[in-house]
Amino acid sequence: MKQIFLNTLKITFAAVMAILIARLLKLEFAVSAGIVAILSVQPTKKETLKTAFSRFLAFAVALVISGLLFNFCGFTVPVFFIYLAVFILICQWRGWISSMAMDSVLISHLLSLGKTGPSEILNEVLLFVVGVGFGILVNIFLHKKTDYIEELKNQTDEKIKLVLHRMSLRILNPSFADYDGTCFDSLNQNLFIAKKQAEENFNNQFTSRDTFDTRYLLMRENQTKVLYEMFKCVRHIKTVPGTAQMVADFLEKVSVEYHKDNDVQALLTELEEIRNKMKTVPLPVHRAEFEDRANLFTLLERLQEFLEIKRDFYLNNIN
């Protein structure tokens, strides 16, 4: 609701200011400048500039088509219909779909005025410039939602920590309740929202094209895929092998130390030591324990992959 309220204020401000400036310039159909401003506001700066440029090209084409038709065929409604057919055809061909309505509203003024002299053309051009100008202006003041993206990233990290923690509990308790993977639904949803916000923040940058948040979330997404493979290993464990305690303790340690600034090098070293220790433990007598120890070993292989993804990201992004 807060974002809806802010967007309402932003768009209203653009429309009102465009109308006031158009009236100050004594332009005909000044209210149309406000409509142009409303149609020019896009969710991000990048989209606003891209749309404004395409609409400018479309408007220039619309002026040429209408000027030729009105002056050779007359300022009548049927001629305006012909203009619409030709202009809409060109807009669809060039991909200027969003320009059809806005530019045609401005061209309809020429029909009402009954002439296409320099002053009439200038009037429509100024309406266009004022309206689009304020649409761009309000978007210039859009800032990256730094606090929000950091909150989303932290939420993602906390959900991953929770998954690791629950794994450590499940290894020591095969009857652990509600271990059905539903926690990944929440994690994936959080990642989806965070990636969308990172994309919006990126598109709201004019100069410094910072991609850190996008790359960070891609790293967490890749880790989540590996994490799900780890979950499947844990879910298949039916006993508590002799090596379960050391694996559970290490998973808990990873969950505690899991944060964005950890290069995980120490964890990788400790993981290798644990794998070596597991190789020295006498082989189990019973088949069930043998299979579960194999699942634990596979789990540690996936865990190594999980940690290496973070290590590589850290090494590629250190200052």
Side-chain angles (χ1 to χ4, degrees):
M1 288 303 299
K2 179 181 178 182
Q3 189 60 47
I4 292 174
F5 180 71
L6 290 175
N7 285 343
T8 300
L9 288 179
K10 178 180 68 176
I11 296 171
T12 303
F13 173 80
V16 170
M17 290 303 299
I19 293 171
L20 291 177
I21 295 299
R23 294 188 66 178
L24 186 65
L25 294 174
K26 301 186 184 307
L27 299 178
E28 296 281 350
F29 312 104
V31 174
S32 294
I35 303 303
V36 172
I38 292 173
L39 295 173
S40 298
V41 176
Q42 300 295 318
T44 67
K45 298 174 185 177
K46 184 178 179 181
E47 289 177 76
T48 297
L49 289 177
K50 182 179 178 180
T51 302
F53 181 71
S54 65
R55 284 177 177 170
F56 175 76
L57 293 178
F59 183 54
V61 171
L63 286 173
V64 172
I65 295 172
S66 61
L68 290 173
L69 287 172
F70 286 149
N71 284 291
F72 283 100
C73 302
F75 290 83
T76 64
V77 172
V79 172
F80 184 70
F81 291 163
I82 297 173
Y83 150 79
L84 286 176
V86 175
F87 182 60
I88 290 172
L89 178 64
I90 293 175
C91 284
Q92 291 188 94
W93 171 52
R94 298 299 300 172
W96 297 335
I97 305 300
S98 64
S99 304
M100 295 188 296
M102 186 182 82
D103 292 347
S104 294
V105 167
L106 296 176
I107 296 303
S108 69
H109 299 162
L110 299 177
L111 175 64
S112 300
L113 294 171
K115 50 186 175 179
T116 57
S119 61
E120 288 75 29
I121 297 296
L122 179 61
N123 184 84
E124 301 311 309
V125 170
L126 288 177
L127 287 176
F128 180 90
V129 170
V130 171
V132 172
F134 274 99
I136 294 174
L137 184 63
V138 295
N139 272 55
I140 287 178
F141 294 101
L142 281 176
H143 299 290
K144 288 174 61 179
K145 298 176 184 176
T146 307
D147 293 340
Y148 185 44
I149 192 63
E150 286 301 319
E151 178 185 344
L152 289 171
K153 285 159 60 179
N154 289 335
Q155 287 176 2
T156 300
D157 289 356
E158 288 301 316
K159 290 180 185 296
I160 292 177
K161 289 174 67 173
L162 178 61
V163 172
L164 289 166
H165 171 67
R166 285 172 57 82
M167 280 185 187
S168 69
L169 297 177
R170 171 60 176 77
I171 287 173
L172 299 176
N173 180 13
S175 60
F176 189 67
D178 300 324
Y179 199 71
D180 55 5
T182 53
C183 54
F184 283 95
D185 295 336
S186 174
L187 173 56
N188 288 324
Q189 178 67 14
N190 207 91
L191 274 169
F192 176 79
I193 295 172
K195 287 192 299 180
K196 292 290 288 184
Q197 185 58 58
E199 180 182 1
E200 181 178 325
N201 283 355
F202 177 78
N203 287 330
N204 273 323
Q205 300 175 81
F206 278 138
T207 53
S208 58
R209 311 298 279 176
D210 184 8
T211 61
F212 178 82
D213 289 338
T214 301
R215 287 181 284 112
Y216 182 87
L217 291 166
L218 178 60
M219 179 268 294
R220 290 309 194 207
E221 185 176 35
N222 290 335
Q223 281 191 310
T224 299
K225 293 175 183 177
V226 177
L227 199 62
Y228 189 73
E229 295 302 314
M230 293 167 59
F231 158 76
K232 290 193 291 186
C233 290
V234 173
R235 188 175 55 180
H236 290 145
I237 295 175
K238 298 179 176 62
T239 67
V240 183
T243 55
Q245 187 65 57
M246 70 173 76
V247 175
D249 289 344
F250 185 66
L251 278 172
E252 182 63 25
K253 182 174 183 178
V254 173
S255 74
V256 171
E257 297 183 7
Y258 188 92
H259 58 80
K260 61 182 179 181
D261 298 321
N262 190 346
D263 65 1
V264 305
Q265 193 58 58
L267 290 173
L268 281 168
T269 300
E270 185 174 347
L271 174 59
E272 185 60 28
E273 293 173 355
I274 291 173
R275 292 175 67 180
N276 290 333
K277 286 180 183 178
M278 289 180 65
K279 292 176 183 179
T280 64
V281 176
L283 292 175
V285 177
H286 302 291
R287 179 183 179 87
E289 184 179 355
F290 183 86
E291 291 176 348
D292 287 342
R293 278 184 60 177
N295 277 320
L296 286 176
F297 199 81
T298 302
L299 168 67
L300 292 182
E301 289 183 332
R302 298 288 79 77
L303 180 57
Q304 179 174 343
E305 184 180 353
F306 175 87
L307 293 173
E308 286 175 345
I309 291 172
K310 177 61 190 324
R311 179 201 62 192
D312 294 344
F313 176 82
Y314 182 87
L315 292 176
N316 291 330
N317 290 276
I318 57 176
N319 295 326

